[in-house]
Amino acid sequence: MIAVPLLRSLPHHQVRVTDPFWSRWREVVAQVSLPGQYEQLEQTGRLEHFRRAAQRLVGGFTGFYFNESDVYKWLEAAAYVLDEVPSSGLRTQFDEAIGLVAAAQEEDGYLNTFFQLNHPKLKWRNLGSMHEMYCAGHLFEAAAAAHDCLRDDRLLSVACKLADHIAARFGPGKKLGYCGHEEIELGLLRLAEAANRPDYADLARWMIDVRGSRPSPFDLELDDAEAMTISSFAAHMLRKDGKYSGEYAQDHLPVREQSDVVGHAVRAMYLYAAAAEVADAELTAALHRAWNNLVGRRMYITGGIGPSHANEGFSVDYDLPNFSAYAETCAACGLIFWANGMLHRTGNSDFVDTMERGLYNGAISGISLDGSTYFYTNPLESRGNHKRTPWFSCACCPPNIARLIGSIGRYLASVDDDGFYLNIPAGLEAEFEVKGVKVKLTVESNYPWSGNVKVRVEPTRPVIFALRVRIPDWADDVQTDLPDQESDSEFESGYAVFRKTWRSGDVLTLDFEMDAKWVEANPKVRENLGRVALTRGPIVYCAESVDLKFPPQLFCVDPELPILAEPKSALHGMIDLAVEGLAQTEDFPDALYADAGSIALRPVTARFIPYFAWANRGASDMQVWFRQA
Amino acid sequence: MIAVPLLRSLPHHQVRVTDPFWSRWREVVAQVSLPGQYEQLEQTGRLEHFRRAAQRLVGGFTGFYFNESDVYKWLEAAAYVLDEVPSSGLRTQFDEAIGLVAAAQEEDGYLNTFFQLNHPKLKWRNLGSMHEMYCAGHLFEAAAAAHDCLRDDRLLSVACKLADHIAARFGPGKKLGYCGHEEIELGLLRLAEAANRPDYADLARWMIDVRGSRPSPFDLELDDAEAMTISSFAAHMLRKDGKYSGEYAQDHLPVREQSDVVGHAVRAMYLYAAAAEVADAELTAALHRAWNNLVGRRMYITGGIGPSHANEGFSVDYDLPNFSAYAETCAACGLIFWANGMLHRTGNSDFVDTMERGLYNGAISGISLDGSTYFYTNPLESRGNHKRTPWFSCACCPPNIARLIGSIGRYLASVDDDGFYLNIPAGLEAEFEVKGVKVKLTVESNYPWSGNVKVRVEPTRPVIFALRVRIPDWADDVQTDLPDQESDSEFESGYAVFRKTWRSGDVLTLDFEMDAKWVEANPKVRENLGRVALTRGPIVYCAESVDLKFPPQLFCVDPELPILAEPKSALHGMIDLAVEGLAQTEDFPDALYADAGSIALRPVTARFIPYFAWANRGASDMQVWFRQA
């Protein structure tokens, strides 16, 4: 029995972000990121592929076979942004891209430029490797976003035609098939809602339910020699003995029997994010197991996940190397999607704690402060070797972080029939209806730099509902003030619950203590033994050699020494921290090794900046976890 | 102008190893390693390939294309061992293998079972990737060893026939060609000496001199599409832009213009080891540059080299990760070969310091104490994930460590016209001639466990010569005693020089201080900041969880606390160390991260064992570099 999720996000246009932090990011994405990405989509042939497909040409597809997904993710992000930031240039690009996509679709609904151009005879025969349904899923999400945000249904009809094409071939009583790279499940769920087609949600649920079948449809595909000639990721799906291995694509077990997060991190996140939306009790229990494994044993302090370059994903418990961390930007985005799904299913704020960790650290670290360059991987230590670039041959991350920022309101607040959930106290204006009464709710804040938050409630008439405010796991102290409160606040599932008759003009003030503090890792994380990391509120800090004038690896922490918050950063109003400590000198004999005793330490004050803001001033050494002196 | 090396090794039968340490290893190799490896050679088809080639069959080669080199290295090792440890079983295998090799050779001298069976039309057309000359080089070394140790010239005639075949095709005025994996140069040099064919040495020198030509012969081979169909390592030889890159095979620059050690570590070592034997002043200067780069910036404390799995080789200066260290056993062997070559060219004991570091640590760590299992890679930290195995699909390491142990006398002592060099004071009996007088020199020691060494000199009649004893870099104090010494000892190039009229029965006693001590790494090695490693004499120590009963990563060092040497190890008479220190508990909240302050330390005494002896009692956590408390 599938339960309807307890909570839901508000539609895009009902949450407007107003705090300086996310407003700035949205502006940067609208003015810099999306126009720049569109140029890349054009220059790299991604758009040209649609033109060629529209002309029914053969051949000429270059780059990765899943490259069209970047166009769809760009369209999704543009839809969010155009709803709030009018831009005639962006609008022109948006319209052009939609026209190209629509024209490329074949009569029978099929749409995938790689197969249309280069392998028209091999459609749907290499689901394990070729991301055919993955691309479709991103089209579905883009179509839903254009519908939801702009009431623009041009993509929606393309998407439904493709979804119908797929549904005619795969599903109960038809062919057993799902995608090696999960995403179509999320896409179908979004499309089901936007197009009011519950059968698409049924198809998504079926794909989740049959995943892990034996024999796996991917295993059977390995016998299709012709289809395998185009497979470039098959190596990850094979064991050393040459036999099929399902872990890479979370196809090793039925999802409801899974426990640990394994394989490719982005795939796992997209799968579990979709599963959370349609889970019955048994599936929810499996998701809880996987979640606990991830958050309890396999997640960086930044919310980065998937430490291993080899599989772009998970390795073993407590394996969290800092310097060589993969921690793909897309995986952090996926973690946020899943966390939101788990929050909505359970109403428990623990999931927001992790969602917030990813949002303010390991996800937005993937985009430069000016929105022009990106990280694919997000290590927690650099020796000057890690630089942002404007694009990647596998360019999944740039449009992913753009669509995350564009849809940020989805994560800050939720509602249920009983009222409003302020998950993250960022500045926003929300409109919602509770018990038939329209309510406008305004949050004023300078989050995440300040813990002072003012929530103003304006119902059209007095109405009893619960305003829930999440108490973050990092907050050691929270002060609340609600004049004329009719009842004491309760504490439920990590939320302070203010249930009363709300009248227009009621103001709840909150003050989350935001002292900088040192955090330790579980000793089973061997990389971080003897080390501490600095946090303030939801922000994880790092230090860069560009500020320190020496490599941050030489800095040693004395937790007893003071830390001064400095609200005068040159970096867009962020709070930097001035940390007193000790620095090891690099004086050493001209050799690799020498008898112990030559190391000297000197007192220094080191500037720490938010982790997400690193590598914005050229190549720099960087570190998050610091030795204790 | 090529100078003859200053020093030379003694022929194999003129240095007999007698100390318990190397005697035990030689016995283990003779009784366990070589018989076991021969079984693997048979079971894995390596010997069968020779049988098929002898019958002029087509097809049927399985496994790596260079697999026959393991047979040659096994033959080389067996020749060394059979000279000292008579074994009828080993002798039978030795004879059988020689017969198989000889029968497989083609009329024109060609011999390579991979090409003979699977690609007879592609001979010598993919030198960059296919190790054809590499295999030949190992045959040449085996042939020279059989000749030198056993006066068995069956392989020698096979080898010369193949060398002539190669010399007829490649060389000055013929085709420009050398091997992607260096080794033939060393092989030709050994063969030149054994067969008294200086033209082979000329060919080796030519191959060293033309390496790094532009256009590279390997670059040209990339245009031979047919030959490229069999290449499985081409990816390492290409840059990201698809163009040829020479670094992987040290083909990026002429050798005499090289400065840093780059690319595949074993290849680099074999190249430089050969180059050291034939170097003029300019080439010697290049080798010095490369050596200083390696030893000053790119070598583990164990003598392990080549940190990176990606290229089985070098990365950047000071990049020496412990847990993920590649540090291939073969690369440590190669370092020892090169060090010996540099010693012989220069007479400087610095090279012995490094050679000894590799011999007693990072090389023999590659073989289990019982000789039955091996390491391919030799990390400096384990989380229980690293286990020894009896064989590898790429099985270069097992016979390489066997031939190193079998020929250990080559490294312990050297001679020149002026006398004798005791490079490493292991127990041995040497016979040499100086100024026309035969001298027997006996070293009694329990090295490396004791620094007490007695050197007895027995010339057939009194003779003036210099007995040089290396003063190791790790020895803070050395006591020497030579009764009736006619002159004070001098100190030259790292050797204490005892020049006098030696009479039969003269005894020099030495006492190298062997206190355990903590060593630091250069702070530029970020992985080891705040860490120390324990050494005693030439031995690098580690700790394993099997002894500690907790993961050694939790151990913290206080260098002021005492260390007790314990000569009662169950492990073959080794000296273990009992180290007082502190151990961090693993008590921690049920989470990955928590506010700092929950870590507790408790005093413990930890058993440390020699690094080379780790992983001999099942899977264990292990560490070399320990945090200072």
Side-chain angles (χ1 to χ4, degrees):
Chain A
M1 187 59 203
I2 299 157
V4 173
L6 290 172
L7 279 60
R8 57 189 184 277
S9 295
L10 284 164
H12 189 260
H13 58 275
Q14 288 178 231
V15 193
R16 298 300 186 193
V17 173
T18 59
D19 70 14
F21 188 85
W22 289 114
S23 299
R24 197 198 73 79
W25 276 118
R26 188 181 50 203
E27 200 66 22
V28 157
V29 165
Q31 305 301 341
V32 180
S33 308
L34 289 179
Q37 291 179 19
Y38 197 80
E39 274 181 47
Q40 295 285 353
L41 295 176
E42 185 65 271
Q43 285 169 18
T44 58
R46 283 163 167 84
L47 294 174
E48 187 63 20
H49 293 151
F50 286 99
R51 293 191 193 98
R52 290 182 63 82
Q55 298 169 57
R56 302 298 183 257
L57 297 176
V58 173
F61 189 102
T62 58
F64 280 109
Y65 45 91
F66 50 81
N67 269 358
E68 72 182 52
S69 63
D70 302 324
V71 176
Y72 301 141
K73 273 194 286 192
W74 184 92
L75 279 166
E76 184 188 345
Y80 298 136
V81 164
L82 283 170
D83 185 26
E84 300 188 73
V85 184
S87 157
S88 62
L90 192 58
R91 181 81 214 191
T92 304
Q93 293 169 332
F94 181 75
D95 289 337
E96 181 188 27
I98 289 180
L100 292 176
V101 170
Q105 189 167 38
E106 297 185 349
E107 292 296 307
D108 67 354
Y110 187 84
L111 178 55
N112 184 288
T113 56
F114 172 76
F115 280 92
Q116 287 173 264
L117 294 177
N118 282 18
H119 294 282
K121 298 197 174 149
L122 297 178
K123 291 170 184 169
W124 310 122
R125 281 171 58 184
N126 190 334
L127 299 180
S129 297
M130 299 312 295
H131 295 19
E132 215 167 355
M133 290 181 177
Y134 166 88
C135 291
H138 278 304
L139 169 64
F140 300 163
E141 288 208 78
H147 168 86
D148 294 347
C149 301
L150 307 173
R151 297 289 139 194
D152 181 336
D153 285 353
R154 289 174 293 170
L155 272 185
L156 199 70
S157 62
V158 176
C160 288
K161 223 170 135 184
L162 176 55
D164 292 340
H165 176 104
I166 292 170
R169 283 156 182 78
F170 300 96
K174 299 164 200 160
K175 193 174 174 194
L176 179 69
Y178 38 90
C179 193
H181 194 316
E182 300 91 327
E183 159 60 26
I184 190 171
E185 300 84 355
L186 277 172
L188 284 168
L189 291 172
R190 290 290 85 70
L191 188 62
E193 215 170 340
N196 194 21
R197 286 283 299 268
D199 55 321
Y200 294 159
D202 292 340
L203 182 59
R205 190 162 49 240
W206 174 80
M207 286 182 173
I208 294 164
D209 276 337
V210 297
R211 195 171 198 91
S213 293
R214 284 298 173 274
S216 164
F218 306 149
D219 200 357
L220 299 176
E221 285 176 349
L222 289 171
D223 297 328
D224 181 347
E226 193 184 5
M228 281 300 118
T229 58
I230 50 168
S231 161
S232 58
F233 273 100
H236 292 292
M237 301 177 73
L238 300 177
R239 296 188 192 282
K240 280 187 180 171
D241 64 6
K243 298 237 173 83
Y244 173 72
S245 164
E247 275 83 0
Y248 182 62
Q250 298 78 45
D251 185 44
H252 56 303
L253 281 175
V255 181
R256 57 190 62 238
E257 293 175 25
Q258 296 186 14
S259 291
D260 292 350
V261 287
V262 300
H264 188 276
V266 179
R267 298 177 190 221
M269 294 304 102
Y270 287 10
L271 169 64
Y272 296 144
E277 298 192 24
V278 298
D280 57 22
E282 188 187 41
L283 186 51
T284 299
L287 293 172
H288 269 286
R289 289 195 301 272
W291 178 271
N292 289 339
N293 176 249
L294 175 61
V295 171
R297 301 184 172 195
R298 301 187 176 200
M299 180 183 69
Y300 288 99
I301 191 173
T302 56
I305 57 170
S308 169
H309 284 242
N311 64 348
E312 299 194 302
F314 299 106
S315 52
V316 296
D317 287 349
Y318 304 109
D319 176 36
L320 294 166
N322 294 309
F323 176 70
S324 67
Y326 199 72
E328 184 181 337
T329 301
C330 285
C333 292
L335 173 65
I336 291 160
F337 305 158
W338 184 19
N340 208 31
M342 294 301 281
L343 166 68
H344 287 175
R345 175 132 318 273
T346 65
N348 193 315
S349 85
D350 290 350
F351 298 104
V352 186
D353 290 334
T354 294
M355 184 168 76
E356 183 183 65
R357 186 185 287 281
L359 267 177
Y360 285 92
N361 301 286
I364 52 167
S365 62
I367 179 169
S368 65
L369 292 174
D370 68 2
S372 66
T373 55
Y374 308 91
F375 274 154
Y376 196 104
T377 64
N378 295 273
L380 281 76
E381 181 189 352
S382 168
R383 297 169 195 159
N385 55 310
H386 205 62
K387 288 172 201 147
R388 299 176 182 276
T389 56
W391 197 245
F392 308 95
S393 55
C394 171
C396 48
C397 298
N400 219 357
I401 192 70
R403 71 182 181 133
L404 179 74
I405 291 172
S407 60
I408 188 66
R410 186 180 293 176
Y411 308 100
L412 304 179
S414 306
V415 293
D416 64 5
D417 295 341
D418 188 38
F420 189 90
Y421 293 73
L422 185 59
N423 300 322
I424 295 174
L428 57 82
E429 291 176 14
E431 289 174 356
F432 63 99
E433 203 175 285
V434 61
K435 295 169 185 166
V437 179
K438 290 200 171 169
V439 181
K440 181 178 175 191
L441 184 146
T442 310
V443 180
E444 282 175 41
S445 86
N446 187 24
Y447 200 76
W449 311 120
S450 162
N452 292 118
V453 176
K454 191 182 287 185
V455 183
R456 177 184 303 271
V457 182
E458 295 167 276
T460 50
R461 56 185 168 82
V463 57
I464 297 178
F465 72 88
L467 169 59
R468 288 179 165 83
V469 176
R470 168 179 152 259
I471 307 303
D473 57 348
W474 49 260
D476 292 327
D477 186 48
V478 183
Q479 301 294 329
T480 66
D481 185 46
L482 179 58
D484 305 321
Q485 188 165 1
E486 292 163 23
S487 73
D488 285 342
S489 72
E490 301 159 33
F491 188 76
E492 276 177 21
S493 300
Y495 288 86
V497 187
F498 302 91
R499 188 190 310 274
K500 68 165 204 128
T501 301
W502 290 93
R503 295 183 169 81
S504 188
D506 280 351
V507 173
L508 167 66
T509 60
L510 306 156
D511 190 5
F512 301 99
E513 185 185 297
M514 270 205 183
D515 291 347
K517 59 182 171 184
W518 296 107
V519 172
E520 284 169 350
N522 192 305
K524 293 196 171 73
V525 182
R526 304 303 184 208
E527 300 275 341
N528 294 340
L529 280 166
R531 293 174 181 265
V532 287
L534 188 59
T535 64
R536 181 177 181 278
I539 301 290
V540 175
Y541 280 76
C542 71
E544 280 192 296
S545 51
V546 65
D547 292 314
L548 269 48
K549 313 302 178 202
F550 60 81
Q553 291 88 343
L554 300 175
F555 187 76
C556 301
V557 173
D558 179 347
E560 303 300 312
L561 291 177
I563 300 167
L564 187 67
E566 293 190 327
K568 52 192 171 187
S569 164
L571 295 170
H572 307 292
M574 299 184 304
I575 299 267
D576 296 347
L577 300 173
V579 181
E580 290 183 32
L582 299 162
Q584 180 173 336
T585 69
E586 284 193 292
D587 299 337
F588 201 75
D590 182 22
L592 265 177
Y593 307 105
D595 291 355
S598 62
I599 301 294
L601 298 173
R602 64 187 168 86
V604 294
T605 301
R607 182 188 185 201
F608 277 55
I609 65 166
Y611 169 76
F612 74 79
W614 82 280
N616 273 283
R617 291 164 295 167
S620 203
D621 291 29
M622 182 277 293
Q623 184 155 282
V624 169
W625 288 99
F626 292 84
R627 284 180 287 151
Q628 286 196 253
Chain B
M1 187 57 203
I2 299 158
V4 172
L6 289 173
L7 279 61
R8 56 188 185 276
S9 294
L10 285 164
H12 189 261
H13 58 275
Q14 287 177 232
V15 193
R16 298 300 187 194
V17 173
T18 59
D19 68 15
F21 187 86
W22 289 113
S23 301
R24 195 199 72 81
W25 276 117
R26 189 181 49 204
E27 200 66 22
V28 157
V29 165
Q31 306 302 342
V32 180
S33 309
L34 289 179
Q37 290 179 17
Y38 197 80
E39 273 181 49
Q40 294 285 352
L41 295 175
E42 187 65 273
Q43 284 169 18
T44 58
R46 283 162 167 85
L47 294 173
E48 187 63 20
H49 293 151
F50 287 100
R51 294 192 191 98
R52 290 182 64 82
Q55 297 170 57
R56 301 299 182 256
L57 297 176
V58 173
F61 189 102
T62 58
F64 280 111
Y65 46 91
F66 50 82
N67 269 357
E68 71 181 54
S69 62
D70 302 325
V71 177
Y72 301 141
K73 273 193 286 192
W74 183 93
L75 279 165
E76 183 187 346
Y80 299 136
V81 165
L82 284 169
D83 186 24
E84 301 188 72
V85 184
S87 157
S88 63
L90 193 58
R91 181 79 214 191
T92 304
Q93 294 170 331
F94 181 75
D95 289 337
E96 182 189 27
I98 289 179
L100 292 176
V101 170
Q105 189 167 40
E106 297 185 349
E107 292 295 308
D108 66 354
Y110 186 85
L111 179 55
N112 183 289
T113 55
F114 172 76
F115 279 92
Q116 288 172 262
L117 294 177
N118 282 16
H119 293 284
K121 300 199 170 147
L122 298 178
K123 291 170 184 169
W124 311 122
R125 280 170 60 184
N126 191 337
L127 300 180
S129 297
M130 299 312 297
H131 296 19
E132 217 168 353
M133 292 183 176
Y134 166 88
C135 290
H138 277 304
L139 169 65
F140 300 164
E141 288 208 77
H147 167 86
D148 295 347
C149 301
L150 307 174
R151 297 289 140 194
D152 182 334
D153 285 353
R154 289 174 293 170
L155 271 185
L156 200 69
S157 63
V158 176
C160 289
K161 222 170 137 186
L162 176 55
D164 293 340
H165 176 104
I166 293 170
R169 282 156 182 79
F170 300 96
K174 297 164 201 160
K175 193 174 175 194
L176 179 69
Y178 39 91
C179 193
H181 195 316
E182 300 93 325
E183 159 61 25
I184 190 170
E185 301 83 357
L186 277 171
L188 284 168
L189 291 171
R190 291 289 85 71
L191 188 62
E193 216 170 337
N196 193 21
R197 285 284 299 268
D199 55 321
Y200 294 160
D202 293 340
L203 183 58
R205 191 162 49 239
W206 175 81
M207 285 181 174
I208 293 164
D209 276 337
V210 297
R211 195 173 197 87
S213 292
R214 285 297 172 274
S216 165
F218 305 150
D219 199 358
L220 299 176
E221 285 176 350
L222 289 172
D223 297 329
D224 182 347
E226 195 186 3
M228 282 300 118
T229 59
I230 50 168
S231 159
S232 59
F233 272 101
H236 291 293
M237 302 177 73
L238 300 176
R239 297 187 191 282
K240 280 190 179 168
D241 63 7
K243 298 236 171 84
Y244 172 71
S245 164
E247 275 84 359
Y248 181 63
Q250 298 75 46
D251 185 43
H252 56 303
L253 282 174
V255 182
R256 58 189 62 237
E257 294 175 25
Q258 295 186 16
S259 291
D260 292 350
V261 288
V262 299
H264 188 276
V266 180
R267 299 177 189 221
M269 294 304 101
Y270 286 10
L271 168 65
Y272 296 144
E277 297 192 24
V278 298
D280 56 22
E282 188 187 40
L283 186 51
T284 300
L287 293 173
H288 269 287
R289 289 195 301 272
W291 179 271
N292 289 339
N293 176 250
L294 176 60
V295 171
R297 300 185 171 194
R298 300 187 178 200
M299 182 183 68
Y300 288 99
I301 191 172
T302 57
I305 57 171
S308 169
H309 283 244
N311 64 348
E312 299 194 301
F314 299 107
S315 52
V316 296
D317 287 349
Y318 304 110
D319 176 36
L320 294 165
N322 294 307
F323 176 70
S324 68
Y326 200 73
E328 185 181 337
T329 301
C330 285
C333 294
L335 173 66
I336 291 161
F337 305 159
W338 183 20
N340 208 32
M342 295 301 282
L343 166 69
H344 287 175
R345 175 130 318 273
T346 64
N348 193 316
S349 84
D350 290 349
F351 298 103
V352 186
D353 290 333
T354 294
M355 185 167 75
E356 182 182 66
R357 186 185 288 279
L359 266 178
Y360 285 92
N361 301 289
I364 51 167
S365 61
I367 180 169
S368 66
L369 292 173
D370 69 2
S372 66
T373 53
Y374 309 91
F375 275 153
Y376 196 105
T377 64
N378 295 271
L380 281 77
E381 180 189 351
S382 168
R383 297 169 195 160
N385 54 308
H386 205 62
K387 288 170 201 148
R388 299 176 182 278
T389 56
W391 196 245
F392 309 95
S393 54
C394 171
C396 47
C397 298
N400 219 357
I401 191 70
R403 71 182 181 132
L404 178 76
I405 291 172
S407 61
I408 188 68
R410 188 181 290 176
Y411 308 100
L412 304 178
S414 306
V415 294
D416 65 6
D417 295 341
D418 189 37
F420 189 91
Y421 293 74
L422 185 59
N423 300 322
I424 295 172
L428 55 83
E429 291 176 13
E431 289 175 354
F432 63 99
E433 202 175 284
V434 62
K435 294 170 186 166
V437 179
K438 289 201 170 167
V439 182
K440 181 179 174 191
L441 183 144
T442 310
V443 180
E444 284 175 38
S445 86
N446 188 24
Y447 200 76
W449 312 119
S450 161
N452 292 119
V453 176
K454 191 182 285 185
V455 183
R456 177 183 304 271
V457 182
E458 295 168 277
T460 51
R461 56 183 165 84
V463 58
I464 297 178
F465 72 89
L467 170 58
R468 289 178 165 82
V469 176
R470 166 177 153 263
I471 307 302
D473 56 348
W474 49 260
D476 291 329
D477 186 48
V478 182
Q479 301 293 329
T480 68
D481 185 47
L482 180 59
D484 304 323
Q485 186 165 3
E486 293 163 21
S487 75
D488 286 344
S489 72
E490 301 159 32
F491 188 76
E492 277 177 18
S493 300
Y495 287 87
V497 187
F498 302 91
R499 187 189 312 275
K500 68 163 205 129
T501 302
W502 291 92
R503 295 182 170 82
S504 189
D506 281 351
V507 172
L508 167 65
T509 59
L510 305 155
D511 190 5
F512 301 99
E513 184 185 298
M514 270 203 184
D515 291 346
K517 58 182 173 184
W518 296 105
V519 173
E520 283 168 351
N522 191 306
K524 292 196 173 73
V525 182
R526 304 303 183 207
E527 300 275 340
N528 294 340
L529 281 165
R531 293 174 180 266
V532 288
L534 187 60
T535 64
R536 181 177 180 277
I539 301 291
V540 174
Y541 280 75
C542 70
E544 279 192 298
S545 51
V546 65
D547 292 316
L548 269 47
K549 312 302 179 205
F550 59 82
Q553 291 89 344
L554 299 174
F555 187 75
C556 301
V557 173
D558 178 348
E560 302 299 314
L561 292 177
I563 300 167
L564 187 67
E566 293 191 328
K568 51 191 171 187
S569 165
L571 295 169
H572 309 290
M574 300 186 302
I575 298 265
D576 296 345
L577 301 173
V579 181
E580 292 184 29
L582 300 162
Q584 180 173 336
T585 68
E586 285 192 292
D587 299 336
F588 200 77
D590 181 23
L592 265 177
Y593 307 105
D595 291 356
S598 61
I599 302 294
L601 297 173
R602 64 189 169 89
V604 294
T605 301
R607 183 187 185 201
F608 278 55
I609 65 165
Y611 170 75
F612 73 80
W614 81 280
N616 274 283
R617 293 165 292 168
S620 204
D621 290 30
M622 182 278 293
Q623 184 156 280
V624 170
W625 288 97
F626 291 83
R627 283 180 289 152
Q628 286 197 253

